[in-house]
Amino acid sequence: MKIAISSDHAGVEYKRALVEFVQELGYFIEDLGPYNEDSVDYPDFAHKLAEKVLSKEADLGIVLCGTGNGVAMAANKHQGIRAGLCWNKEIASLIRQHNDANILALPARFVNVEEAKEIVKAYLETPFEGGRHQRRVDKIACM
Ligand code: RB5
């Protein structure tokens, strides 16, 4: 499974730690930037990640900003992207099981790095349940 990751400046430090962690878990991960702490605009990196996932160059995405909200809002503007904001591992499992979330959004300023790793692990290791949840996921899109 191929994972892609991006952030804004608020998430760069956590992104570095998560790239290493995801590799240790045995996945291939592509870091879409940014690569230093200079201030950037979070939508630029959220859109870049959403495009990677939609083009199927990545199976799942991880995105970070200070609250996780800005990047989630931007990513969710793409038809076919289901980005879920998670601050604990239980929610991370549920956005896979119930929502088939293809992007995990993390609030770098509101979880510690160990919590972020737990959340990422739960997100990557939990499958979509399908069934009644597929019917509901199919109703998310606005045509
Ligand atoms: C950057 O200061 C901050 O606004 C950003 O990381 C994010 O929290 C936006 O939603």
Side-chain angles (χ1 to χ4, degrees), residues 109-125:
R109 289 179 176 153
F110 296 90
V111 293
N112 65 43
V113 81
E114 288 314 311
E115 288 167 334
K117 287 179 184 174
E118 277 189 348
I119 293 167
V120 163
K121 187 170 190 295
Y123 174 71
L124 295 180
E125 293 183 349

Side-chain angles (χ1 to χ4, degrees), residues 8-10 42 65-67 69-70 109:
D8 72 352
H9 49 281
Y42 61 81
C65 69
T67 64
N69 268 306
R109 289 179 176 153

Side-chain angles (χ1 to χ4, degrees), residues 29-142:
I29 183 159
E30 184 179 1
D31 184 351
L32 304 178
Y35 307 108
N36 60 46
E37 267 85 2
D38 294 351
S39 183
V40 294
D41 297 334
Y42 61 81
D44 295 338
F45 290 89
H47 292 313
K48 199 171 169 184
L49 179 70
E51 283 157 17
K52 273 274 165 187
V53 172
L54 285 174
S55 69
K56 300 196 188 312
E57 288 170 78
D59 300 296
L60 293 174
I62 301 168
V63 70
L64 305 100
C65 69
T67 64
N69 268 306
V71 286
M73 288 178 193
N76 277 323
K77 289 293 177 190
H78 294 253
Q79 197 65 259
I81 290 296
R82 292 175 302 281
L85 173 62
C86 292
W87 53 95
N88 66 40
K89 63 180 185 207
E90 289 80 13
I91 299 172
S93 292
L94 286 167
I95 67 163
R96 289 292 306 131
Q97 284 170 15
H98 291 190
N99 314 117
D100 197 16
N102 47 16
I103 292 184
L104 163 68
L106 281 165
R109 289 179 176 153
F110 296 90
V111 293
N112 65 43
V113 81
E114 288 314 311
E115 288 167 334
K117 287 179 184 174
E118 277 189 348
I119 293 167
V120 163
K121 187 170 190 295
Y123 174 71
L124 295 180
E125 293 183 349
T126 307
F128 178 47
E129 279 179 7
R132 68 185 188 284
H133 298 297
Q134 183 64 63
R135 184 181 70 242
R136 293 164 186 168
V137 166
D138 290 342
K139 290 182 177 181
I140 290 175
C142 296

